[in-house]
Amino acid sequence: MITTYLETIQPELMTITRLFGISDDAWTPPRFTFTMEESDGRYVCRFTDGQSLAEGRVPIPDDADDRLRELHRKRAARRLCKQTLYDLCRQVTGVHPPWGSLSGVRPTHMIYEGLAAGLSLEQASARLIRDFDVTEEKARLLEEIVEVQRQLPPPGDESMDVYVGIPFCTTRCAYCSFSSGEIGKGRLVEPYLTALLEELEAGSRLLRDTGRKLRAVYVGGGTPTSLDEDQLKRLLDALMLRFPGAMEYTVEAGRPDTITPGKLRAIRGAGVGRISINPQTMNDRTLQIIGRAHTARQVTDAYAMARDAGIHHINMDVIAGLPGETISDFAVTMDAARALAPESLTVHTLAIKRSSRLHLENAPLPDGQAAATMVAMGLETARSLGMRPYYLYRQKYMAGNQENVGYALPGHACQYNVDIMEETTHILAMGAGGISKRIYPEEGHIERAPNVSNIEQYIARVGEMAQRKRVLFLGENA
């Protein structure tokens, strides 16, 4: 049974070999083969490339509950299989990836797993170094993130976050893979808002019917501020009417060229406390290359405008490893971050997604060492601003096998970002492309109800999208 299951995980195994720069061609036909057997209450895995051999062992989980036992056994066997392949690749190539054999999106989960098993934070961190070959630098980063997260209001089954998606942008960035479209002449905006307001009303009823408490609200995209002033105000007024009393409200105002005093008044007047103004880079040449259609000066002006409007929490997103950027170019962006002094700073590492223009144009990832240097500069800049790291996630095809990290001043960590990345809180997501999530923490299981991504399909089928969520959270059939 376990061996049959493991035959389905080749995509995960390919993720491991990519950590070492091994082409996917090595799997057609497979250069690497494995065996898995049970011996003395342990799984024993052996991987070979025909010349070298690596072997790993792990105790076989034995839960009393049949379903949980099967789930935990599959997870243990999968991890062992990936770790043994990692050990073989490390042995053959001599390369030490910074995140070791951790190929998942959320490395903090491994820290929390250790804490749940009774380890101290320091012991859980040491286990990552010992068992997964994570570098000490990255393990310490995770340790600090978990320290910050444990100071935040704890999640629970009784609470729920709300996400609202605005799938429109003024232009499409070269690295973007989100389900959003260029706003163009705005033909779809009003029909979309009509459908979205209908789904907000249905979502408000659903939240009430579940008996759960609203936790955090996040309006993302796309670019919410690509709406005009009247449209944005209508959206925010409707949102606050239907979802009052959250501990935190965020509106992404990512494109500085979409920000106006009127939109900021609408945001501030609605009671939103946090916005995100995202330059990605402060180099005009790079902004043109990646299709941002704004200048670095517009970023500076937008920050000043937001401060004048009384916005006291601004987040800045930047990307390390953008096409053609050098370490010196990234230093310019970091200098600008210091000067603008946002309350939070998110340092992304370029990841080339399959649906992005960069992938379609076969753009290469930047040099791994340069990406690592830029990420380190982001950490240094955040520290100089008095910030601490509070959430982290990784993606496939990231430059230098690095990570995305959110930093914030004390008291300014974004609760929604933590919830969505740690997958500890139910998510009620509305709008095209939104994915609602129901968390089953005891089982380590998540069920999802996705909205269609196509904007016209969403408009036509919004009632179906609302019903999907009632099935997810209440078990109600259509």
Side-chain angles (χ1 to χ4, degrees):
M1 172 71 81
I2 287 295
T3 301
T4 302
Y5 164 69
L6 291 175
E7 290 172 355
T8 69
I9 70 166
Q10 181 172 309
E12 295 181 58
L13 300 180
M14 293 170 72
T15 299
I16 294 293
T17 52
R18 290 185 196 118
L19 298 175
F20 297 89
I22 297 172
S23 168
D24 289 352
D25 294 341
W27 292 93
T28 51
R31 169 183 165 187
F32 306 95
T33 58
F34 74 91
T35 60
M36 179 74 75
E37 63 184 44
E38 298 181 16
S39 176
D40 297 326
R42 292 174 174 267
Y43 288 132
V44 181
C45 180
R46 297 182 181 89
F47 250 105
T48 181
D49 65 351
Q51 295 180 324
S52 301
L53 175 73
E55 179 178 296
R57 297 169 180 264
V58 68
I60 300 174
D62 191 24
D63 299 80
D65 183 288
D66 290 344
R67 191 166 58 86
L68 288 179
R69 180 169 60 249
E70 182 67 16
L71 178 68
H72 292 161
R73 286 185 175 184
K74 284 182 176 180
R75 183 178 298 162
R78 185 175 75 248
R79 280 186 182 171
L80 176 63
C81 197
K82 293 164 64 177
Q83 182 65 46
T84 308
L85 174 59
Y86 173 89
D87 293 340
L88 176 63
C89 292
R90 182 99 150 83
Q91 173 185 332
V92 169
T93 67
V95 173
H96 186 187
W99 286 99
S101 61
L102 293 184
S103 58
V105 172
R106 301 166 180 87
T108 46
H109 282 195
M110 301 305 298
I111 294 283
Y112 283 114
E113 187 177 284
L115 295 175
L119 301 180
S120 69
L121 185 56
E122 294 75 17
Q123 289 169 332
S125 175
R127 187 186 68 140
L128 285 183
I129 298 171
R130 182 186 67 247
D131 293 351
F132 297 94
D133 202 33
V134 174
T135 64
E136 184 170 341
E137 173 194 7
K138 300 303 184 187
R140 297 293 171 257
L141 177 62
L142 290 181
E143 200 175 320
E144 185 172 5
I145 287 169
V146 170
E147 282 182 346
V148 173
Q149 290 183 358
R150 292 169 85 184
Q151 298 169 20
L152 300 176
D157 182 59
E158 73 285 351
S159 60
M160 185 180 291
D161 289 340
V162 163
Y163 175 84
V164 179
I166 305 298
F168 300 106
C169 285
T170 50
T171 61
R172 188 174 180 86
C173 298
Y175 51 78
C176 181
S177 64
F178 291 121
S179 55
S180 59
E182 294 187 24
I183 200 166
K185 295 182 179 180
R187 176 180 63 87
L188 292 174
V189 175
E190 283 296 337
Y192 180 80
L193 282 178
T194 298
L196 180 59
L197 294 182
E198 180 182 333
E199 194 182 17
L200 289 179
E201 177 63 35
S204 177
R205 289 196 301 270
L206 173 59
L207 179 63
R208 183 175 62 250
D209 291 346
T210 64
R212 291 190 168 92
K213 181 180 178 182
L214 181 63
R215 183 170 163 91
V217 176
Y218 194 100
V219 183
T223 307
T225 46
S226 63
L227 303 178
D228 68 28
E229 292 180 3
D230 175 68
Q231 291 163 344
L232 182 62
K233 186 176 187 305
R234 274 190 285 139
L235 171 65
L236 294 178
D237 287 347
L239 181 67
M240 294 301 179
L241 178 65
R242 289 161 178 80
F243 297 98
M247 68 171 64
E248 168 191 281
Y249 292 91
T250 295
V251 171
E252 287 188 359
R255 294 291 190 95
D257 51 322
T258 66
I259 297 172
T260 67
K263 293 177 187 181
L264 290 169
R265 282 195 299 271
I267 290 170
R268 188 75 181 92
V272 173
R274 180 180 185 272
I275 67 171
S276 205
I277 301 176
N278 305 327
Q280 313 303 6
T281 175
M282 292 295 281
N283 295 283
D284 286 342
R285 178 180 59 84
T286 310
L287 288 168
Q288 292 179 350
I289 290 172
I290 62 176
R292 289 288 286 184
H294 65 79
T295 65
R297 176 58 186 270
Q298 285 176 293
V299 175
T300 303
D301 292 345
Y303 267 75
M305 201 185 306
R307 296 304 190 196
D308 288 344
I311 305 292
H312 300 301
H313 184 170
I314 304 177
N315 172 73
M316 171 187 281
D317 278 15
V318 299
I319 300 178
L322 286 168
E325 285 221 335
T326 64
I327 292 172
S328 296
D329 291 328
F330 194 72
V332 170
T333 301
M334 293 296 93
D335 287 343
R338 291 187 181 92
L340 292 172
E343 282 69 35
S344 54
L345 171 70
T346 308
V347 180
H348 298 271
T349 305
L350 180 66
I352 298 182
K353 302 292 190 67
R354 292 188 181 276
S355 58
S356 69
R357 178 161 61 85
L358 290 180
H359 173 75
L360 297 175
E361 294 174 352
N362 294 313
L365 283 170
D367 172 74
Q369 185 55 54
T373 300
M374 292 176 186
V375 168
M377 291 167 65
L379 172 60
E380 178 185 346
T381 299
R383 297 244 190 256
S384 73
L385 289 168
M387 298 179 186
R388 297 187 70 189
Y390 75 96
Y391 82 102
L392 177 151
Y393 69 103
R394 303 185 65 229
Q395 296 167 281
K396 295 179 180 178
Y397 314 112
M398 293 188 83
N401 293 314
Q402 293 294 316
E403 68 277 340
N404 304 324
V405 185
Y407 302 92
L409 293 173
H412 289 78
C414 176
Q415 186 68 65
Y416 179 84
N417 282 340
V418 174
D419 291 348
I420 194 72
M421 291 306 163
E422 299 305 328
E423 296 187 319
T424 52
T425 303
H426 307 296
I427 305 291
L428 180 62
M430 289 159 288
I435 301 177
S436 298
K437 299 179 182 180
R438 184 174 180 180
I439 311 297
Y440 295 86
E442 296 300 322
E443 304 173 16
H445 172 61
I446 298 171
E447 289 186 5
R448 295 170 172 83
N451 280 0
V452 292
S453 298
N454 180 275
I455 296 170
E456 292 176 306
Q457 284 292 310
Y458 170 80
I459 293 168
R461 299 165 59 188
V462 66
E464 177 190 339
M465 302 303 101
Q467 182 60 28
R468 288 182 181 184
K469 283 180 271 295
R470 294 196 74 85
V471 172
L472 176 67
F473 289 107
L474 296 173
E476 295 183 2
N477 294 319

